[in-house]
Amino acid sequence: QVQLVESGGGLVQPGGSLRLSCAAPGYALNSFAISWFRQAPGKEREGIACISSASGSVYYPDSAKGRFTISRDNANNTVYLKVNSLKPEDTAVYYCAARGYYCSDREKEYAAWGQGTQVTVSS
């Protein structure tokens, strides 16, 4: 089974930026579609980005377009999520998840999940 590990979260001030990382030692991440989800306190888990395996195409919900960028570095076997202009409402645990070749926005279609990395946006 694929084991995913997120890193890069932390405490940032409003307007700041973070780059989160997703790794899976022993597996080639470009063999999977990789998505980022987040879960804020008291809210449902929300999909915010996906990159497909075969083509590397990227997808975002309308709510995430403009401030979120997903990318894959095959040499480092890492998928990144860059978040700009952070707002207090971005405070959440951010997860990466893996499924087959193509992206999906349905949480239940992802079989492999990391433990999450906490992002806190506060002054």
Side-chain angles (χ1 to χ4, degrees):
Q1 56 186 335
V2 179
Q3 300 291 322
L4 302 179
V5 181
E6 304 95 338
S7 62
L11 175 64
V12 297
Q13 294 186 344
S17 298
L18 285 175
R19 188 178 71 168
L20 309 181
S21 298
C22 176
Y27 295 87
L29 286 182
N30 63 4
S31 297
F32 307 94
I34 303 295
S35 283
W36 286 93
F37 293 80
R38 69 181 182 184
Q39 188 165 21
K43 296 184 178 180
E44 298 292 329
R45 189 170 293 181
E46 172 190 23
I48 53 176
C50 184
I51 184 165
S52 68
S53 172
S55 67
S57 299
V58 298
Y59 302 91
Y60 308 93
D62 289 340
S63 61
K65 291 179 179 177
R67 297 193 300 116
F68 296 84
T69 304
I70 190 170
S71 62
R72 182 174 60 224
D73 183 340
N74 291 325
N76 290 318
N77 197 33
T78 302
V79 172
Y80 300 102
L81 181 72
K82 183 70 163 60
V83 189
N84 296 320
S85 301
L86 282 159
K87 305 173 182 179
E89 53 263 43
D90 293 321
T91 296
V93 178
Y94 286 71
Y95 302 88
C96 62
R99 67 178 306 276
Y101 293 111
Y102 305 110
C103 284
S104 172
D105 60 1
R106 295 198 290 178
E107 178 181 340
K108 67 179 182 180
E109 294 190 4
Y110 288 82
W113 293 80
Q115 295 298 309
T117 184
Q118 176 71 49
V119 173
T120 302
V121 184
S122 176
S123 59

